[in-house]
């Protein structure tokens, strides 16, 4: 049996940060904090994307401070920086 959260995580992993935010704003169940942590489903997806990038030995920015969460910053903000790094905007 496949959990519906697993499907959402798998599909949303292909979304850029802007679309994660739009999905979070569109549907309360994706944007509201839930579960054992204080993150929303979209924050968790962004956190997973950043974590995967840090584990990728071929990603030249994986040890960059740009991929570190600071203070009250959201994982989507960090994921946005990751997206910018990957698209060579920074």
């Amino acid at each position: 049996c496949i959990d519906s959260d697993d499907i959402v995580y798998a599909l949303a992993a292909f979304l850029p940060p802007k679309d994660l935010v739009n999905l979070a704003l569109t549907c309360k169940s994706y944007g509201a904090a839930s579960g054992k942590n204080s993150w929303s489903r979209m924050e968790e997806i962004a956190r997973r994307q950043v974590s995967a990038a840090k584990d990728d030995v071929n990603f030249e920015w994986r040890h960059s401070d740009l991929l570190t969460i600071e203070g009250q910053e959201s994982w989507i903000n960090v994921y946005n920086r990751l997206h910018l790094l990957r698209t060579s905007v920074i």
Side-chain angles (χ1 to χ4, degrees), residues 65-78:
D65 289 340
L66 292 172
L67 299 182
T68 303
I69 195 164
E70 298 177 7
Q72 299 288 20
E73 186 175 35
S74 74
W75 280 107
I76 293 176
N77 287 343
V78 179

Side-chain angles (χ1 to χ4, degrees), residues 9-43:
Y9 288 139
L11 294 175
F14 294 100
L15 297 176
K18 177 183 168 189
D19 292 336
L20 282 182
V21 170
N22 288 338
L23 187 56
L25 293 172
T26 302
C27 183
K28 184 178 180 181
S29 68
Y30 296 144
S34 63
K36 54 188 169 256
N37 57 41
S38 60
W39 302 318
S40 69
R41 288 180 175 146
M42 296 302 105
E43 286 286 323

